[in-house]
Amino acid sequence: MAYPRALKNLMRELNRLPGVGRKGAERLALHLVRSGERDVRALAQALLKVTEEVLTCSVCQTLADRDPCAICADPQRDQHKLCVLESPADLAAMEAAGVYRGLYFVLAGPLAPMQGLGPDQLKLQGLVRRIKSGPVQEVIIATNPTTQGEATADLLVRELQGSGVRLTRLGYGMPVGGDLKYMDGLTLARSLEGRRKL
């Protein structure tokens, strides 16, 4: 079936979003057409507000509605701990868990030279300056346990060695409720390496 030009344009724009393939874009576009003008206008308004109101915190590099963000501006946070993450989504997950009360630094993603993300794009110099200028005593490297995340963690260790701060890495291994027979070899190896005395 040939779609009207406006609908084809919408599908093309939706298809540019990460994780939205051609069929997904088609489904979303058709859903929007059926939703009615009020819902579409609300979505369009929300998209415009994001471009107008969301900014990057100059201190931690996360997405925020003010600068510095609420976390960086909170005097109750532990100023001596700095957790380094790959993305604002990782920061949101840490905050949702409610188990960490320190500060953050958000990279522009993991080290991925093939996608154009090298050390300069990760804003490592900003991280080094922040550590040198503040009361940070411990840097918690919380990159994801992927090949790119591990390469990023290695790069961070090389960049931060000699800075005088304690470098730690998030522990990882078997999830709570996990079953040994379903674990991959790397997860089991990391679980064994991270074992603790009882």
Side-chain angles (χ1 to χ4, degrees):
M1 174 182 166
Y3 290 117
R5 179 178 295 147
L7 192 52
K8 286 181 187 176
N9 288 341
L10 177 59
M11 289 176 192
R12 185 173 46 253
E13 292 304 314
L14 290 170
N15 186 217
R16 292 176 51 197
L17 297 172
V20 180
R22 190 179 54 78
K23 287 291 188 185
E26 181 180 30
R27 278 192 300 276
L28 287 169
L30 292 173
H31 171 78
L32 289 169
V33 167
R34 288 190 300 269
S35 294
E37 185 177 341
R38 189 173 136 213
D39 290 343
V40 172
R41 283 192 186 279
L43 175 62
Q45 198 62 27
L47 289 169
L48 287 172
K49 280 203 173 288
V50 163
T51 62
E52 294 165 359
E53 298 177 11
V54 175
L55 50 92
T56 301
C57 175
S58 62
V59 179
C60 73
Q61 306 301 312
T62 196
L63 300 176
D65 53 8
R66 62 182 178 177
D67 189 21
C69 71
I71 293 171
C72 291
D74 184 353
Q76 302 300 314
R77 304 295 292 218
D78 185 344
Q79 306 290 308
H80 299 101
K81 291 183 179 164
L82 185 68
C83 183
V84 180
L85 304 158
E86 291 179 16
S87 73
D90 295 336
L91 187 151
M94 287 287 284
E95 284 297 291
V99 295
Y100 177 72
R101 294 292 302 156
L103 298 174
Y104 297 99
F105 188 86
V106 179
L107 302 169
L111 188 63
M114 299 298 282
Q115 285 85 37
L117 279 176
D120 291 340
Q121 289 72 36
L122 297 186
K123 303 179 181 166
L124 292 184
Q125 293 311 311
L127 174 61
V128 171
R129 275 193 307 275
R130 183 161 179 205
I131 291 167
K132 286 181 179 176
S133 68
V136 176
Q137 295 173 355
E138 179 184 6
V139 172
I140 303 163
I141 299 173
T143 55
N144 291 310
T146 61
T147 304
Q148 291 177 332
E150 291 297 320
T152 305
D154 291 342
L155 175 66
L156 290 169
V157 169
R158 284 193 309 272
E159 289 286 325
L160 300 177
Q161 273 180 336
S163 64
V165 297
R166 180 175 172 227
L167 298 176
T168 59
R169 178 89 163 105
L170 275 189
Y172 50 92
M174 288 185 56
V176 174
D179 196 326
L180 271 174
K181 65 180 169 263
Y182 298 120
M183 298 298 135
D184 62 274
L186 181 59
T187 300
L188 286 173
R190 294 293 189 184
S191 297
L192 281 170
E193 287 172 15
R195 67 189 183 278
R196 58 188 170 88
K197 186 177 180 184
L198 297 176

